[in-house]
mmCIF file with all atom_site columns, all heavy atoms in Angstrom:
data_model
loop_
_atom_site.group_PDB
_atom_site.id
_atom_site.type_symbol
_atom_site.label_atom_id
_atom_site.label_alt_id
_atom_site.label_comp_id
_atom_site.label_asym_id
_atom_site.label_entity_id
_atom_site.label_seq_id
_atom_site.pdbx_PDB_ins_code
_atom_site.Cartn_x
_atom_site.Cartn_y
_atom_site.Cartn_z
_atom_site.occupancy
_atom_site.B_iso_or_equiv
_atom_site.pdbx_formal_charge
_atom_site.auth_seq_id
_atom_site.auth_comp_id
_atom_site.auth_asym_id
_atom_site.auth_atom_id
_atom_site.pdbx_PDB_model_num
ATOM 1  N N   . GLU A 1 62 ? -96.529  -140.748 35.995 1.00 0.00 ? 815 GLU A N   1
ATOM 2  C CA  . GLU A 1 62 ? -97.191  -142.021 36.359 1.00 0.00 ? 815 GLU A CA  1
ATOM 3  C C   . GLU A 1 62 ? -97.711  -142.818 35.159 1.00 0.00 ? 815 GLU A C   1
ATOM 4  O O   . GLU A 1 62 ? -98.052  -144.043 35.185 1.00 0.00 ? 815 GLU A O   1
ATOM 5  C CB  . GLU A 1 62 ? -98.274  -141.819 37.373 1.00 0.00 ? 815 GLU A CB  1
ATOM 6  C CG  . GLU A 1 62 ? -97.817  -141.099 38.670 1.00 0.00 ? 815 GLU A CG  1
ATOM 7  C CD  . GLU A 1 62 ? -98.930  -140.841 39.653 1.00 0.00 ? 815 GLU A CD  1
ATOM 8  O OE1 . GLU A 1 62 ? -100.172 -141.226 39.494 1.00 0.00 ? 815 GLU A OE1 1
ATOM 9  O OE2 . GLU A 1 62 ? -98.587  -140.152 40.639 1.00 0.00 ? 815 GLU A OE2 1
ATOM 10 N N   . SER A 1 63 ? -97.907  -142.123 34.063 1.00 0.00 ? 816 SER A N   1
ATOM 11 C CA  . SER A 1 63 ? -98.481  -142.826 32.922 1.00 0.00 ? 816 SER A CA  1
ATOM 12 C C   . SER A 1 63 ? -97.790  -142.493 31.647 1.00 0.00 ? 816 SER A C   1
ATOM 13 O O   . SER A 1 63 ? -96.929  -141.577 31.728 1.00 0.00 ? 816 SER A O   1
ATOM 14 C CB  . SER A 1 63 ? -99.997  -142.341 32.825 1.00 0.00 ? 816 SER A CB  1
ATOM 15 O OG  . SER A 1 63 ? -100.017 -140.970 32.365 1.00 0.00 ? 816 SER A OG  1
ATOM 16 N N   . ASP A 1 64 ? -97.991  -143.307 30.603 1.00 0.00 ? 817 ASP A N   1
ATOM 17 C CA  . ASP A 1 64 ? -97.361  -142.981 29.343 1.00 0.00 ? 817 ASP A CA  1
ATOM 18 C C   . ASP A 1 64 ? -97.668  -141.662 28.797 1.00 0.00 ? 817 ASP A C   1
ATOM 19 O O   . ASP A 1 64 ? -96.864  -140.893 28.239 1.00 0.00 ? 817 ASP A O   1
ATOM 20 C CB  . ASP A 1 64 ? -97.793  -144.082 28.340 1.00 0.00 ? 817 ASP A CB  1
ATOM 21 C CG  . ASP A 1 64 ? -97.233  -145.398 28.592 1.00 0.00 ? 817 ASP A CG  1
ATOM 22 O OD1 . ASP A 1 64 ? -96.316  -145.588 29.402 1.00 0.00 ? 817 ASP A OD1 1
ATOM 23 O OD2 . ASP A 1 64 ? -97.808  -146.353 28.124 1.00 0.00 ? 817 ASP A OD2 1
ATOM 24 N N   . ALA A 1 65 ? -98.856  -141.196 28.910 1.00 0.00 ? 818 ALA A N   1
ATOM 25 C CA  . ALA A 1 65 ? -99.328  -139.899 28.576 1.00 0.00 ? 818 ALA A CA  1
ATOM 26 C C   . ALA A 1 65 ? -98.606  -138.704 29.268 1.00 0.00 ? 818 ALA A C   1
ATOM 27 O O   . ALA A 1 65 ? -98.145  -137.780 28.737 1.00 0.00 ? 818 ALA A O   1
ATOM 28 C CB  . ALA A 1 65 ? -100.859 -139.644 28.752 1.00 0.00 ? 818 ALA A CB  1
ATOM 29 N N   . GLU A 1 66 ? -98.363  -139.006 30.615 1.00 0.00 ? 819 GLU A N   1
ATOM 30 C CA  . GLU A 1 66 ? -97.584  -137.937 31.340 1.00 0.00 ? 819 GLU A CA  1
ATOM 31 C C   . GLU A 1 66 ? -96.112  -137.979 30.981 1.00 0.00 ? 819 GLU A C   1
ATOM 32 O O   . GLU A 1 66 ? -95.456  -136.888 30.757 1.00 0.00 ? 819 GLU A O   1
ATOM 33 C CB  . GLU A 1 66 ? -97.741  -138.158 32.775 1.00 0.00 ? 819 GLU A CB  1
ATOM 34 C CG  . GLU A 1 66 ? -99.107  -137.817 33.428 1.00 0.00 ? 819 GLU A CG  1
ATOM 35 C CD  . GLU A 1 66 ? -99.313  -138.323 34.859 1.00 0.00 ? 819 GLU A CD  1
ATOM 36 O OE1 . GLU A 1 66 ? -98.766  -139.410 35.220 1.00 0.00 ? 819 GLU A OE1 1
ATOM 37 O OE2 . GLU A 1 66 ? -100.010 -137.613 35.580 1.00 0.00 ? 819 GLU A OE2 1
ATOM 38 N N   . GLN A 1 67 ? -95.564  -139.144 30.628 1.00 0.00 ? 820 GLN A N   1
ATOM 39 C CA  . GLN A 1 67 ? -94.209  -139.257 30.228 1.00 0.00 ? 820 GLN A CA  1
ATOM 40 C C   . GLN A 1 67 ? -94.021  -138.521 28.846 1.00 0.00 ? 820 GLN A C   1
ATOM 41 O O   . GLN A 1 67 ? -92.951  -137.833 28.585 1.00 0.00 ? 820 GLN A O   1
ATOM 42 C CB  . GLN A 1 67 ? -93.712  -140.762 30.167 1.00 0.00 ? 820 GLN A CB  1
ATOM 43 C CG  . GLN A 1 67 ? -93.605  -141.273 31.603 1.00 0.00 ? 820 GLN A CG  1
ATOM 44 C CD  . GLN A 1 67 ? -93.303  -142.710 31.632 1.00 0.00 ? 820 GLN A CD  1
ATOM 45 O OE1 . GLN A 1 67 ? -93.238  -143.412 30.474 1.00 0.00 ? 820 GLN A OE1 1
ATOM 46 N NE2 . GLN A 1 67 ? -92.976  -143.360 32.707 1.00 0.00 ? 820 GLN A NE2 1
ATOM 47 N N   . THR A 1 68 ? -94.933  -138.859 27.975 1.00 0.00 ? 821 THR A N   1
ATOM 48 C CA  . THR A 1 68 ? -94.957  -138.138 26.636 1.00 0.00 ? 821 THR A CA  1
ATOM 49 C C   . THR A 1 68 ? -95.040  -136.635 26.727 1.00 0.00 ? 821 THR A C   1
ATOM 50 O O   . THR A 1 68 ? -94.310  -135.883 26.073 1.00 0.00 ? 821 THR A O   1
ATOM 51 C CB  . THR A 1 68 ? -96.147  -138.661 25.751 1.00 0.00 ? 821 THR A CB  1
ATOM 52 O OG1 . THR A 1 68 ? -95.976  -140.113 25.625 1.00 0.00 ? 821 THR A OG1 1
ATOM 53 C CG2 . THR A 1 68 ? -96.162  -137.964 24.394 1.00 0.00 ? 821 THR A CG2 1
ATOM 54 N N   . PHE A 1 69 ? -95.885  -136.148 27.655 1.00 0.00 ? 822 PHE A N   1
ATOM 55 C CA  . PHE A 1 69 ? -96.059  -134.730 27.972 1.00 0.00 ? 822 PHE A CA  1
ATOM 56 C C   . PHE A 1 69 ? -94.845  -134.123 28.392 1.00 0.00 ? 822 PHE A C   1
ATOM 57 O O   . PHE A 1 69 ? -94.387  -133.109 27.860 1.00 0.00 ? 822 PHE A O   1
ATOM 58 C CB  . PHE A 1 69 ? -97.181  -134.406 28.840 1.00 0.00 ? 822 PHE A CB  1
ATOM 59 C CG  . PHE A 1 69 ? -97.245  -132.986 29.281 1.00 0.00 ? 822 PHE A CG  1
ATOM 60 C CD1 . PHE A 1 69 ? -97.895  -132.016 28.429 1.00 0.00 ? 822 PHE A CD1 1
ATOM 61 C CD2 . PHE A 1 69 ? -96.701  -132.599 30.558 1.00 0.00 ? 822 PHE A CD2 1
ATOM 62 C CE1 . PHE A 1 69 ? -97.793  -130.765 28.737 1.00 0.00 ? 822 PHE A CE1 1
ATOM 63 C CE2 . PHE A 1 69 ? -96.647  -131.200 30.875 1.00 0.00 ? 822 PHE A CE2 1
ATOM 64 C CZ  . PHE A 1 69 ? -97.208  -130.303 30.036 1.00 0.00 ? 822 PHE A CZ  1
#
Side-chain angles (χ1 to χ4, degrees):
E815 296 177 8
S816 70
D817 289 342
E819 289 170 326
Q820 288 176 355
T821 300
F822 172 80

